[in-house]
Every structure is written in structure tokens, then in C-alpha cells.
Amino acid sequence: MSVTTTTGYVEDVSPGTGALPPRAWYASSDAPSLSLNGTWRFRLSDTADAEDDSFAARGYDAGGWAEVSVPGHWVLQGHGSPAYTNHLYPFPVDPPRVPTENPTGDHLRVFDLPADWPADGGAVLRFDGVESCARVWLNGTELGEFKGSRLPHEFAVGQLLRPAGNVLAVRVHQWSAGSYLEDQDQWWLPGIFRDVTLLHRPAGCVADFFVHASYDHTTGTGTLRVDSGVAGRVTVPELGIDVATGEPVTVPVEPWSAETPRRYEGVLATEGERVPLRVGFRTVELSDGLIKVNGTAVLFKGVNRHEWHPERGRALDLATMREDVLLMKRHNINAVRTSHYPPHPAFLDLCDEFGLWVIDECDLETHGFTEQGWRDNPVDDDRWTPALLDRAARMVERDKNHPSVVMWSLGNEAGTGRGLTAMARWIRDRDPSRLLHYEGDATCRDTDVYSRMYASHAEVERIGRGLDGGPRRRRELPLVLCEYAHAMGNGPGGLADYQRLFRTYDRLQGGFVWEWIDHGIAHPALGYAYGGDFGEELHDGNFVCDGLLFPDRRPSPGLIEYKKVIEPVTLTGDGTAGTVRVTNGYDFADLSALAFSWSYEVEGEPVAEGTLAVPALAPGESAEVKLPAVPAGAPLGEALWTVRARLASGTAWAPAGHVVAWGQVPVTERRVPSVAASARPVPGDGVTVLGPATFDARTGALRTIGGVPVTELRLDVWRATTDNDDGAAWQGDLRYGLLWRELGLHRMRHRLDAVEAGEDALTVRTRVAPAARETGLATVYRWTSDGDRLRLTVSTVPEGDWTVPLPRLGIRFGLRAADRVRWYGGGPGEAYPDTRAAALTGRWEAAVDDLQTPYVRPQENGARIDVRWAELGGLRIEGDPAFGLTARRWTTEQLDAAAHRTDLVPGDTVWVNLDHGQHGIGSQSCGPAPLPRYHLRAEPAEFSFVFSAIDSVSSTTL
């Protein structure tokens, strides 16, 4: 007996059948439309052939089926489970075959036409996104099937519609031949996850149209021509334009750019329909070896953006998309790469409106074929070329009228081959007005930019200097880092160092941080889940949580750092000369939209404030601006000027007063705390008393300061390794987290060698070292006091052959009843040696719980840098030199062992770290390790802290 299946289309390499040719997307027109989003009936089967097609017929009783929301993913609505892989296919690689175990969701929606739905004309049913393969019926008639999950597909349905009781049936398969083209470092989430819409198509309606709106920067004029498949007229009242379609017209205009997103309202009118146009005039070209828009070279300060919501996955609503764009603008981001597929089309409308450069990327990645040396890669197999061309066409035709889109990207990590070349040729022929991008094209045969991922600072500088070699064509192209600075967990480090290179070498036209948001899935027991939390047999863990936003869209410290690093105005100065140098880093805008202010601060406290007159500098211009005289009667102490550039008036993306940039200019140096060693150690009943402190007489361990209990004060060199410390498996053994654990730095032993009560000091000599190793740190604690305050001087000398840097170097101790912290130093957020650009020197205050950074996978976090003094738990602590501060309700060891935030249970002790130094953060979770200048080398060191007791009540309720 033979079994015949009806799902051959699932494994067919073709893009599908029945769909209309792709065309331009527009949000609205005067033709009626009907959203079919909402609650649908749903039935899940284990295989593609488990059920017949009778559900598609009118009158089918689906009353016993479940319900799901559309747009949505059924695995996020209680039917099956999500799964995450970075690049490995979660099924056997045997293209185009897919497993028999192929979850298949039958979706059913019954709808009536509105009472005023026109009786004449046709209709189109549009799907904006279905993963990964769909077969569609309307009123029992099959319309066709399609692949290309993140691309639109339309079907002509006018002849099938009825006034009431229309039955729309959609069968969605999780796996298909198309899955081989969508291996895109994300959760595998099947379903109808974008809008489903019924569009009326009146006689003579607008079909496809192409808005060509170029700008000539030498004359200040724009040329508009709208090509339309149906003849009509184009009107732009503000410009006095009223021309036939296909007819060019040139008029004076203000150009569109990401900084000044000027658009003109117009209308495309045919016999049967009026479509609103929002026209932005701009010209993109490769000129003098640079990417230029409107004649000016641009610097991309970008991010890669996967679409994500922690409850709804890739089913984003307009409000969430708008929130993304507003957050980008408020953090000085000017560009987006739509990794690794075209986004919801409404997102590009928002980029047009608010101003973001866009690299629009095709729905294509075959990364998993790296596991077999790219053998059988679809992009080099002619059988798959029609599918590749279909995906390219659906992207270009849908998005071609957006001025924000300045480059088309062929896809991501799909190797090379004839199919990619065919895509490039088709796109160039269809739209020569934009540039082409593809990182995998090492020769740049099919691209207009030299694109790289995660190149080191040194390599980027070589490319900037033109010393990179390679094919001649590539050497003549600008470099764009389409991915760099991997924002996984704590980090990324080294952003400021990259930005200095971008600003130094013209050929370096910026880059796109990976990535925008952590893809954590909201989970009642885990907080946010990542790969492996749903029982996947194959997964890539928390590598899916590598964004500048936490899953709930709160900015991470990495985003705050990035905002500072890429700020469009640079403010530096000379405190002794009383001047600040203002540099306009915009590409197009002058500084007339900004208002500048100054604050004179002593010991972190503002003494006087005022406004600063700054000329409306043109892009690239600088000026030395005189600061006011130092305020009369200002107190003595460490003084500095803080200068801020704010929006003078509200914009579409931020209110008036929003801080765009800031800088600090030191005036006087810090006063170093001193303690005269006048008190002498006094022996007691099992204790030694020195000034305000008591010590264990036998071990020399500190017990109290001014009556405040202190526990387990000792040298500390360990930190809970960050994702960037641990690195990626493919980077081999040169990963600092791995090296530190191999050396045993997470299990240091403390040997007491001597306790010496001298004339004016208590000295404790120890050796701190890991078991099984000869390396160690000879450590001396020297305690002195003036009777009221206690000074600790720590001296360390490395012993043995230290071949790796230290994670941290400082002291750790425990306090009780420490709820709030006040400090003078860097803040308000966390900072590390190579993530410190955003640390603003001032006085700060926070609850201990608010000092923690909620990374999805717990790790070292929350350090405040350059702390001069801190108050917590009844103690005031001053540092010589300034120190790093962390305070937590769990130990470093507990933090290191936790897999999710919910694993961290607060104890009754606050553990405080006072760090002389920490190792840099870097980006080695996918990119380079910290630069050598940020390594914490094992070398002789000496540092001091001064402790004094303060009112314990006020210190815990600050």
C-alpha cells in the first residue's frame, strides 16, 4: 500500500503559486480595507499531513478548536514551544527536505463584509508575514501557497467574496524548503505573525507605483517622477506640483536626511483611487570612494534590529515600533540595519517620519551550511534562484518608496554564489538609485560597500589607513561594520575606541551595533527565558539576549554608553583657560536647534548654573567658547564645569530640554584623604582596638568600625564572569573567563602569615592564591588611625608566572542594614574601564537594589567608577586613589552560579566591593576582547581606603 501526501509544495524550492506580483506597500488610501486581525480558530497537528483540507469549506464546524490571536505565534500561545538556535538548523540538513515531525497550524477566520463595502471592483487579500509556509483558501477555493516568511503576499479574491460568512482558511507549516533560507539567529516561531488585510480594489485603482525623488545639492532642487502601473496624476500642493504620472518635474526643495527628515505631502490619484504620498527628496551615491547622501558623506551610528516583543515575539504593534524609533532617536542613533529581513512595513514609515538611515535586508540567511563547508548551499544552486529573486523583488517592490532606505542588503551570512549575483543584478536593474550591501561578498563583486563583522580595532584602523590589501575594487570602497560591538550582557566595551577611528579616517563610515534588544521571552518562573529553557535538544543558550535594550525595552547601560559615544556634539575644554571647545558632529544640521548650559560644581555639588552662548556652527565646525568666571565665594574642593547641549524646542521624538550631548571640564584636582597615624593598637579581651575599630586579636580580621559590624574583609580578585569574559566557543581557548577559571581565580585561598601590632599600625600579612597553582599574591593589610578615622593600605605583589590579567583587584566585605548608597564619583549608572564614557562625575544616590543591572543571565554588573567617597550601612569610605564600587545582597559566588535573575535570593548581608581596578569588558561574546590598555595586569599595586562611622539611621535612609 502506498501513501500519497498532498504537501509537496512544502518541500518545493519554488517561492509558491497563486500570489500576485509584488508591489509598493502603502498604509492607506481612499479605497476601503478590512483588517482580519483578531481571534482565529486554531488546530495544531504534529505533521504536515495529519489532517485533511475539509476545514477550508464553508460550514465546517470548528467549535471544538482552540483560539489564537493573529498576528501571533502559536508557540507563544500555549501550543508547542519556541526554540532558539544561532545558526544551526534544528532539523537534519538535507535540502530541500524537512522532517516528518512538522508542526502544522490550521487557522480559520469567518468574517462578514462591512455594510458599506462596495459591490463593484475587485479585492486583494494581503498577508504581511507568515512563518514559514502557508496554504490559503477562501470560501473553499484554494488561492495558492507561499514561502518567504517576512515578506508580503497578496491574492486576488474579489470573485470569491460574499456579503457574510466568508471563510478564510490558512494552513501554516513550521518547516518548509523556505526554512533553509531563514536561518537567522532568532527564535523559530511559526504562525501568522503580521497583519492580514482585505483590500478593496476599485476599477482604475492604483496598482504598483515608484516614487523617484532625487535631490541636486549643487542647485538645491529636487526632481520628482512617479511611475505608475495605472496612469494618473501626482499633486504636491506645497511645491505647486500637479503633473501626470511618469512626468518629471524639478522644483526647489528642502532635502530629506536622517537629521532633517523633511517630507512633502502629496497624492497619487488614478481613476479609481487616491493614495497619500509623503515625498522625501534625497540622492544616494558612491562618490570619491564614499557613501554620500545629497553630496555629503554620512557616518552611520547604527544598530541592528531584530523585531521582538517579550510576550508577542515578532508580532509587533505600531506602538511598539514607534517606541523603538523614539528610543533610537533619543539615544543619538541615526541608522538601522533590518537584520536579517525586511521589517514590518510600518516601521519604515516611522523611519521616514522621524529620520533614520536604513539598510533594508532581504529575508535570506543560510548560515547553517557553514557546518558542511557551504556544500549544497542554496544560494549557489540554480534550482533555488527563482526563490531568491522572488525574495529580492518582494523586498524592493514593497519598500522602494521610502526615502529612509539608502541601501539594499542581499541578506546575511549566506555564503556566496550565483543566486546572490542574480539578486544583485536584478536589484541594480530595478533600482539603481540605491547602493547594495552584503557582508559575505569578500571581493565586493556584487556590492557597493566593503562590509565587515566584528573586525578588531587594529584591523579597522588598517582598513581606514588603506593598508588592508585585497582586490582593487574593495580597496576603493568605504568600510561599514554591519555588525560590531556585541551587546550581550555587560557591555559592549570599546565603543569609544571604535568611534575615534570612525572620526579619524574618512573611509570608515561607521557601523551597526549588534543588536537592538534582548530576545528574552517572558516566563513566570524564570523572569525571561532564553535558549534551552523550553527543553530544546539543540540550542544556543542566552546568545539570543544580546541587545542594547532589556526585553521590556528598558535601556541597558550599553545603550547609555552608546548614546554618549556617538553624541553629535563634542564638548571638551581647558579648565585653567576657562574655555570649552564645541564641535558640531552632525553631517547635515547646524547647532541652531540646541540650547547650551553650564554648571559649576564643587565636590559634585552645583554652585552656580547658567546658559552658554554657542554659535550655530555648521557641520564639522568647531569654536572655542569662553566660560563664565568662577563664581565668587565658591567653596574649595575638586571643581569642574559641566556643559550640556539640549533641545531648545520640542521635536517629534523628544521634548524641549532633552539632553543630546554633555561634557565635563576639570578645574581643580581632587583632595586626597589623609589620616595621621596617631592612634596605637590596644590589646583587649580577644580583640585589638585601633581608633574606632576592633580586630580579632589572633587573625587581625576587622570586626567593627565605630560599632558598625564588618564581616570577612579580604582581598578579592574574582568577578562573576560576563558573557564577554566567557567569549564564544569558536574563539578557542583565548577567552579570559575560561583562562581565569583554569587558573582557579574563582576559588582563591587566603593564608594568614603574620599579625603585627606595631607602634602606630596593625599589619596583617597574607598570601592569596588558588589551589593547585604556584601563582599567588603576597598581600599586606596595613591599618592606621587618627583616633576617629581608620585607614587601610593594601599592598599586593604577584608571585609566580602570571600569564593572564586579573578579573578585579580590591577588597570585599559584608555589611548589615545597608539599604541605600550615596557616593561622589561616576554615575548614575554602571561603568567599567572600557565602558566609562557615559559616567558623569557628580553626587549620586540609589537604593542598593537599584544598583543592580538586570542582565537576563546574571553576571558581573553594577560597578560605579571613579568613586571618591561613598556612604552606606553606617560607614563613609574614601579612596586613594578613586575606586570602583559595587554593593549587592548576594555574594559574587552566588551571582556567578545563577542562570536567571530569579536564582538570586537576597540575603541579610550586603556585600561591598571596593575595587582598585577591574579588567575591561570588551566584546568577545562574538567580537574582540578588551584592548590591551584595559587589561588589569598582575603587577605590584598599592591602594588605600579611609573608613569612618556615620549616623547609621541617616545612612540607611538617605
Side-chain angles (χ1 to χ4, degrees):
M1 175 180 176
S2 63
V3 177
T4 302
T5 68
T6 59
T7 56
Y9 63 90
V10 173
E11 296 181 336
D12 190 335
V13 298
S14 75
T17 60
L20 295 170
R23 65 189 181 106
W25 186 91
Y26 48 93
S28 65
S29 80
D30 63 350
S33 65
L34 176 65
S35 172
L36 297 178
N37 295 345
T39 301
W40 290 49
R41 290 290 183 174
F42 176 78
R43 175 181 64 185
L44 182 63
S45 303
D46 293 333
T47 70
D49 296 301
E51 303 287 349
D52 60 27
D53 304 337
S54 61
F55 80 103
R58 286 171 57 86
Y60 182 87
D61 182 6
W65 288 21
E67 292 183 340
V68 294
S69 294
V70 172
H73 306 278
W74 70 68
V75 294
L76 297 182
Q77 300 183 61
H79 305 279
S81 298
Y84 166 63
T85 61
N86 168 31
H87 79 279
L88 297 173
Y89 289 106
F91 48 80
V93 179
D94 183 21
R97 304 298 302 278
V98 295
T100 300
E101 299 81 15
N102 188 358
T104 296
D106 289 336
H107 298 69
L108 204 60
R109 175 80 151 88
V110 179
F111 65 94
D112 300 336
L113 295 179
D116 59 351
W117 190 267
D120 61 338
V124 164
L125 178 65
R126 183 176 69 211
F127 295 88
D128 281 313
V130 183
E131 183 176 331
S132 75
C133 173
R135 186 180 178 192
V136 186
W137 298 261
L138 181 62
N139 291 329
T141 298
E142 183 172 350
L143 304 180
E145 82 285 336
F146 62 88
K147 308 177 191 75
S149 298
R150 284 152 280 277
L151 295 163
H153 294 83
E154 293 183 329
F155 297 92
V157 297
Q159 74 281 8
L160 300 175
L161 288 174
R162 303 181 181 213
N166 292 282
V167 177
L168 176 57
V170 185
R171 173 164 286 170
V172 181
H173 306 284
Q174 174 158 17
W175 310 122
S176 70
S179 301
Y180 285 98
L181 305 180
E182 297 171 5
D183 187 24
Q184 294 154 325
D185 185 12
Q186 59 184 332
W187 292 97
W188 297 92
L189 299 174
I192 305 172
F193 69 95
R194 286 186 186 159
D195 305 292
V196 182
T197 311
L198 183 69
L199 305 166
H200 181 244
R201 298 285 76 208
C205 65
V206 172
D208 190 25
F209 64 96
F210 197 161
V211 177
H212 303 273
S214 60
Y215 179 74
D216 186 337
H217 66 279
T218 63
T219 63
T221 58
T223 300
L224 175 66
R225 187 185 83 243
V226 178
D227 296 333
S228 176
V230 175
R233 294 198 69 80
V234 176
T235 56
V236 184
E238 187 178 355
L239 297 176
I241 292 176
D242 185 347
V243 296
T245 53
E247 180 180 331
V249 57
T250 300
V251 294
V253 297
E254 299 173 38
W256 188 97
S257 74
E259 296 169 8
T260 54
R262 180 69 161 94
R263 295 186 302 169
Y264 294 88
E265 302 291 330
V267 173
L268 167 60
T270 62
E271 178 185 354
E273 187 177 14
R274 292 171 57 87
V275 174
L277 302 178
R278 294 176 178 87
V279 181
F281 292 88
R282 59 105 187 92
T283 294
V284 184
E285 61 182 338
L286 187 66
S287 176
D288 303 319
L290 298 174
I291 303 163
K292 293 185 178 180
V293 180
N294 303 333
T296 298
V298 296
L299 182 62
F300 295 116
K301 305 169 183 179
V303 291
N304 287 275
R305 176 185 176 269
H306 267 299
E307 295 183 303
W308 188 250
H309 188 280
E311 285 89 27
R312 301 191 300 271
R314 286 188 287 278
L316 297 190
D317 60 357
L318 184 61
T320 300
M321 291 184 269
R322 182 183 179 91
E323 183 179 359
D324 278 349
V325 172
L326 293 179
L327 281 168
M328 290 176 189
K329 293 292 291 186
R330 290 169 184 165
H331 288 86
N332 294 328
I333 290 165
N334 72 358
V336 180
R337 175 178 173 233
T338 69
S339 54
H340 294 296
Y341 42 81
H344 189 291
F347 179 77
L348 297 179
D349 278 346
L350 294 167
C351 294
D352 294 344
E353 177 184 354
F354 293 101
L356 289 168
W357 309 117
V358 174
I359 298 180
D360 198 355
E361 193 149 273
C362 195
D363 190 12
L364 173 62
E365 180 169 338
T366 63
H367 198 173
F369 285 90
T370 57
E371 297 298 310
Q372 53 201 60
W374 294 108
R375 186 173 60 256
D376 297 328
N377 184 12
V379 304
D380 199 30
D381 183 334
D382 292 338
R383 295 175 301 163
W384 294 79
T385 299
L388 303 184
L389 291 173
D390 178 75
R391 288 172 183 246
R394 290 188 182 278
M395 172 183 69
V396 171
E397 302 296 5
R398 191 195 77 168
D399 297 342
K400 58 182 177 284
N401 294 328
H402 291 284
S404 58
V405 177
V406 293
M407 274 193 265
W408 302 115
S409 178
L410 300 179
N412 182 70
E413 293 175 318
T416 57
R418 298 183 298 276
L420 284 169
T421 298
M423 292 170 68
R425 288 173 178 167
W426 185 92
I427 294 174
R428 289 188 195 283
D429 183 64
R430 177 59 174 149
D431 181 25
S433 70
R434 292 178 173 94
L435 304 182
L436 270 186
H437 167 273
Y438 178 64
E439 180 269 341
D441 182 9
T443 66
C444 296
R445 178 185 64 180
D446 296 325
T447 60
D448 298 309
V449 297
Y450 180 21
S451 179
R452 288 293 308 277
M453 292 182 180
Y454 306 108
S456 68
H457 297 82
E459 183 177 2
V460 170
E461 181 165 22
R462 286 197 301 273
I463 295 170
R465 297 173 62 190
L467 303 177
D468 51 306
R472 175 179 293 278
R473 170 167 170 76
R474 193 179 77 188
R475 298 198 308 271
E476 295 172 346
L477 296 179
L479 176 77
V480 171
L481 294 180
C482 69
E483 293 179 23
Y484 81 113
H486 199 247
M488 185 177 177
N490 188 334
L495 284 169
D497 304 280
Y498 276 115
Q499 203 65 26
R500 278 191 287 271
L501 295 173
F502 297 159
R503 289 170 175 157
T504 300
Y505 300 101
D506 290 343
R507 187 186 180 192
L508 309 180
Q509 292 198 252
F512 296 78
V513 168
W514 185 269
E515 66 156 304
W516 177 236
I517 187 169
D518 286 343
H519 298 201
I521 294 178
H523 191 286
L526 303 176
Y528 292 104
Y530 49 76
D533 287 333
F534 298 96
E536 306 102 300
E537 63 181 8
L538 188 69
H539 66 85
D540 287 293
N542 69 312
F543 200 71
V544 76
C545 295
D546 47 10
L548 294 170
L549 294 182
F550 296 120
D552 61 2
R553 281 184 160 72
R554 282 185 295 165
S556 75
L559 181 56
I560 304 304
E561 175 81 356
Y562 195 36
K563 175 187 177 181
K564 173 61 179 170
V565 165
I566 61 175
E567 61 188 9
V569 181
T570 304
L571 299 161
T572 58
D574 183 341
T576 58
T579 60
V580 60
R581 183 172 181 82
V582 182
T583 301
N584 181 357
Y586 285 113
D587 292 327
F588 297 92
D590 63 24
L591 299 188
S592 59
L594 301 180
F596 292 79
S597 63
W598 58 266
S599 173
Y600 186 77
E601 298 155 16
V602 178
E603 299 292 317
E605 293 280 15
V607 173
E609 299 175 331
T611 60
L612 190 67
V614 174
L617 300 172
E621 288 186 344
S622 298
E624 296 285 343
V625 178
K626 188 69 175 176
L627 291 164
V630 172
L636 299 177
E638 181 182 13
L640 54 79
W641 299 94
T642 299
V643 181
R644 293 178 173 87
R646 295 183 169 94
L647 291 179
S649 302
T651 68
W653 48 269
H658 169 79
V659 176
V660 173
W662 59 267
Q664 291 189 304
V665 181
V667 179
T668 59
E669 294 184 354
R670 177 196 176 209
R671 294 182 296 182
V672 176
S674 62
V675 174
S678 57
R680 61 180 299 168
V682 177
D685 185 12
V687 298
T688 299
V689 178
L690 178 62
T694 62
F695 298 82
D696 184 288
R698 183 179 64 85
T699 65
L702 178 67
R703 293 290 180 249
T704 65
I705 301 175
V708 177
V710 179
T711 60
E712 299 184 41
L713 187 147
R714 64 186 188 183
L715 189 79
D716 194 13
V717 300
W718 181 247
R719 72 184 186 196
T721 53
T722 68
D723 291 315
N724 286 307
D725 290 337
D726 292 336
W730 62 82
Q731 293 170 327
D733 295 334
L734 296 178
R735 294 174 278 156
Y736 289 108
L738 180 66
L739 294 171
W740 292 336
R741 291 187 195 276
E742 287 180 348
L743 186 58
L745 299 187
H746 60 308
R747 48 177 176 79
M748 301 292 274
R749 305 291 179 86
H750 297 255
R751 187 185 74 204
L752 178 62
D753 289 339
V755 178
E756 303 167 354
E759 193 65 28
D760 60 357
L762 177 67
T763 302
V764 181
R765 302 183 186 278
T766 69
R767 187 174 190 269
V768 183
R773 302 290 182 180
E774 65 173 357
T775 51
L777 296 167
T779 304
V780 178
Y781 307 91
R782 187 172 188 273
W783 299 93
T784 57
S785 174
D786 61 4
D788 296 318
R789 297 179 297 164
L790 182 71
R791 184 183 189 99
L792 167 64
T793 299
V794 182
S795 303
T796 63
V797 176
E799 297 177 341
D801 184 16
W802 283 87
T803 59
V804 297
L806 294 167
R808 74 179 339 136
L809 182 66
I811 62 170
R812 180 178 80 171
F813 56 89
L815 293 175
R816 296 200 302 268
D819 296 323
R820 296 192 68 81
V821 183
R822 184 169 65 181
W823 75 97
Y824 169 39
E830 75 177 26
Y832 292 82
D834 55 349
T835 66
R836 60 178 298 151
L840 180 70
T841 299
R843 291 200 188 192
W844 309 102
E845 182 181 339
V848 167
D849 294 340
D850 292 338
L851 293 177
Q852 317 311 310
T853 304
Y855 295 115
V856 174
R857 185 192 74 81
Q859 56 198 272
E860 166 61 34
N861 73 89
R864 269 55 181 181
I865 206 165
D866 288 340
V867 176
R868 281 74 158 164
W869 57 257
E871 294 178 348
L872 75 164
L875 294 180
R876 178 182 174 91
I877 306 161
E878 301 171 81
D880 179 16
F883 57 93
L885 170 69
T886 60
R888 308 185 179 103
R889 298 189 189 278
W890 38 77
T891 65
T892 297
E893 291 74 21
Q894 290 168 328
L895 182 63
D896 199 22
H900 296 87
R901 290 278 300 172
T902 51
D903 295 332
L904 294 170
V905 180
D908 57 5
T909 299
V910 170
W911 295 96
V912 180
N913 276 89
L914 309 178
D915 289 323
H916 178 59
Q918 279 211 44
H919 188 66
I921 296 296
S923 188
Q924 203 174 4
S925 53
C926 192
L931 287 167
R933 71 174 68 102
Y934 303 120
H935 289 194
L936 181 60
R937 292 177 175 81
E939 56 191 14
E942 183 174 287
F943 49 94
S944 297
F945 304 101
V946 176
F947 299 87
S948 55
I950 57 177
D951 178 44
S952 60
V953 174
S954 64
S955 71
T956 59
T957 59
L958 295 174

